[in-house]
Amino acid sequence: MTASTVVGGLDLAQERRIVTAIPGPRSSEILAVKEQEVARSVGHTLPIVAEAAGGGVLVDVDGNSFIDLGSGIAVTGVGNANPRVVRAVTEQVQRFTHTAFTVVPYEGYIEVARKLNRLVPGDFPKRTALFNSGAEAVENAVKIARHATGRQAVVAFEHSFHGRTNLTMALTAKSSPYKQGFGPFAPEVYRVQGSYPYRDGGLSGPEAARRAIAQIENQLGAQSVAAIIIEPIQGEGGFIVPAEGFLATLHEWTSSNGIVFIADEIQSGFARTGSWFAVDHEGFAPDLVTMAKGIAGGLPLSAVTGRAELMDASQVGGLGGTYGGNPIACAAALATLESYEQDGLLERARRIGAILTERLTALAQADPRIGEVRGRGAMIAVELVDPASTAPDADLTARVVRFAHENGVILLACGSHGNVIRFLPPLTIDDHLLNEGIDIVAQGLARS
Ligand SMILES: *Cc1c(COP(=O)(O)O)cnc(C)c1O
């Protein structure tokens, strides 16, 4: 085990161990009940039922131990049941579980805000508001931007994902499964092209930004736009890293036109890319940043942090919610931030990124169906294509992912066309498990 590895509360053996067919008998039994009791639309990716997880593994109810390359969709960056989080939550849950911060405030919330105001980039006064889910943070960032600018239009991008509530469905690009049949959607949301170097035919970052700006000016006029919202590295859309200069050029234009630049760091944030936020690599500070997923070690918490004058613009009582910034989730967030800092996890994300990039690049050199290896830090993906046409190959992707699941690796696909395999291991995974996980993916590719 490496020095920086933090093992889960139960001291789980850090190994891949398959002792039954997948799914095993106990999982099958429980999933049959799920079928009867849980809405069918709430699907599941793996046909197993969780029993325990920590470090780099998840153990199911049949005793199978899976290598975790998904972190519950980029949430458990500090590892599942991280010991610091377990201690902090246990201590808080014994003192009080809820007051409603907007009824009686407590220090944990204020401390999370203080920390985020310092971690989020930008050499200007900042404020923070806390919520429960990523979608709720996005909704509130839009409320804040509209109130502060007195404008209504919000611009999102191709391949974006911002959530599943009504406004965030409108902001999300992909129809199936997120939007199909769920309309009508919120008005005053517009979509333009972003930057997708693998499929942009050599367009530079600034050129792609000028294309987007021309679309916005043509469709709306800058003076109607309250905000643009963009993921600095797109998550569900396929781990698309925009060409250099794309985001900075857009930001220059939003700044000179009184438009709020919202960076949605819900997936790319919190040490995932080897720095606190993906936008730290871009050389400018967004006006507002939305955060969730990796913020609290698995407890539901989200945040909007940004320029004080924007955050303070709306009327008192205009922002809030019964559970927003719940004290247990705040205790978990403080312990989570401490773990990223004290357990060397930013450095660990860079090391994981180096291993993934080197090994996947070697695979790509031998297998032309890997069209591109991309990403940053512990947020890396491969796009699988037909080598002749570069058409997306979703079937191949599904076969490789299924092979991984049957052989003890939790692996997730993404991409507007379902043809991207993403690697999102907990930053507490050790090198040995990470390499074994990549071996299984390589075997899956060779056999598919
Ligand atoms: C997951 C995600 C969201 C939505 O978060 P929820 O907590 O599922 O509501 C929004 N934006 C991005 C970039 C995400 O990855």
Side-chain angles (χ1 to χ4, degrees):
M1 205 185 308
T2 59
S4 59
T5 298
V6 178
V7 178
L10 292 176
D11 208 7
L12 298 173
Q14 294 297 297
E15 63 179 12
R16 182 174 67 99
R17 185 181 69 239
I18 296 303
V19 296
T20 69
I22 304 297
R26 185 77 188 114
S27 285
S28 296
E29 220 173 284
I30 297 168
L31 291 174
V33 180
K34 173 186 183 255
E35 197 85 350
Q36 296 304 311
E37 306 294 347
V38 178
R40 196 175 60 95
S41 302
V42 183
H44 55 266
T45 306
L46 280 92
I48 58 169
V49 174
E51 171 78 22
V57 299
L58 181 148
V59 177
D60 76 5
V61 289
D62 292 291
N64 298 299
S65 177
F66 289 74
I67 299 175
D68 184 5
L69 298 184
S71 300
I73 321 184
V75 169
T76 52
V78 293
N80 235 303
N82 175 297
R84 293 180 195 269
V85 173
V86 171
R87 268 197 306 276
V89 164
T90 306
E91 196 268 328
Q92 176 59 45
V93 84
Q94 289 168 338
R95 288 198 295 135
F96 61 94
T97 50
H98 175 84
T99 64
F101 185 78
T102 53
V103 177
V104 178
Y106 36 87
E107 277 188 287
Y109 185 121
I110 299 164
E111 191 56 17
V112 171
R114 200 181 69 83
K115 287 238 146 114
L116 294 182
N117 291 341
R118 280 151 188 78
L119 287 177
V120 166
D123 190 14
F124 42 75
K126 295 187 210 96
R127 302 277 189 272
T128 289
L130 301 180
F131 306 97
N132 302 290
S133 67
E136 208 186 345
V138 170
E139 292 256 357
N140 278 281
V142 170
K143 281 169 67 172
I144 291 162
R146 282 179 169 155
H147 201 294
T149 58
R151 304 173 182 178
Q152 294 186 351
V154 180
V155 176
F157 290 79
E158 293 291 346
H159 309 292
S160 62
F161 181 85
H162 298 293
R164 296 168 175 275
T165 57
N166 188 260
L167 172 61
T168 59
M169 272 194 294
L171 292 168
T172 291
K174 190 176 177 179
S175 172
S176 181
Y178 307 125
K179 304 167 74 166
Q180 194 92 58
F182 294 138
F185 303 112
E188 287 304 312
V189 171
Y190 302 85
R191 189 175 319 286
V192 298
Q193 283 173 289
S195 167
Y196 190 166
Y198 179 62
R199 297 193 181 276
D200 264 354
L203 211 60
S204 75
E207 284 165 349
R210 281 193 286 276
R211 177 176 66 182
I213 292 163
Q215 285 178 311
I216 299 168
E217 285 180 336
N218 180 32
Q219 292 177 34
L220 304 167
Q223 73 289 344
S224 312
V225 180
I228 68 163
I229 178 160
I230 190 160
E231 300 154 82
I233 296 179
Q234 289 182 311
E236 301 304 305
F239 281 28
I240 302 165
V241 185
E244 201 181 322
F246 172 74
L247 293 170
T249 306
L250 268 182
H251 178 256
E252 220 176 276
W253 176 79
T254 57
S255 308
S256 47
N257 286 281
I259 296 167
V260 177
F261 190 113
I262 306 171
D264 182 348
E265 291 264 12
I266 289 169
Q267 191 152 165
S268 56
F270 291 104
R272 185 49 56 190
T273 60
S275 55
W276 281 104
F277 299 100
V279 80
D280 289 336
H281 302 265
E282 303 290 343
F284 71 91
D287 302 305
L288 300 177
V289 176
T290 55
M291 295 158 272
K293 295 197 164 97
I295 195 174
L299 276 88
L301 186 74
S302 67
V304 182
T305 297
R307 287 184 182 276
E309 69 271 21
L310 301 176
M311 297 294 298
D312 286 344
S314 43
Q315 62 279 13
V316 173
L319 304 177
T322 305
Y323 295 110
N326 167 273
I328 303 165
C330 285
L334 293 172
T336 297
L337 295 175
E338 188 182 285
S339 181
Y340 286 128
E341 272 168 355
Q342 308 283 314
D343 300 329
L345 295 182
L346 287 124
E347 192 188 313
R348 190 68 202 134
R350 293 191 286 271
R351 163 91 181 140
I352 288 169
I355 293 172
L356 280 167
T357 304
E358 187 192 320
R359 294 213 43 206
L360 296 172
T361 303
L363 275 180
Q365 274 156 5
D367 189 340
R369 296 173 303 171
I370 300 180
E372 189 177 46
V373 179
R374 60 176 177 248
R376 198 180 288 143
M379 185 176 185
I380 302 287
V382 291
E383 176 160 355
L384 301 182
V385 300
D386 170 10
S389 63
T390 77
D393 195 341
D395 290 342
L396 171 63
T397 308
R399 288 197 300 275
V400 175
V401 167
R402 197 176 326 116
F403 179 90
H405 296 170
E406 287 165 358
N407 288 278
V409 177
I410 297 176
L411 188 67
L412 303 175
C414 64
S416 294
H417 303 289
N419 67 316
V420 179
I421 293 177
R422 55 176 152 175
F423 296 83
L424 284 170
L427 307 178
T428 50
I429 196 171
D430 64 31
D431 286 2
H432 162 76
L433 276 181
L434 176 62
N435 276 305
E436 192 174 331
I438 302 169
D439 290 342
I440 298 289
V441 175
Q443 275 177 37
L445 260 172
R447 291 178 196 197
S448 298

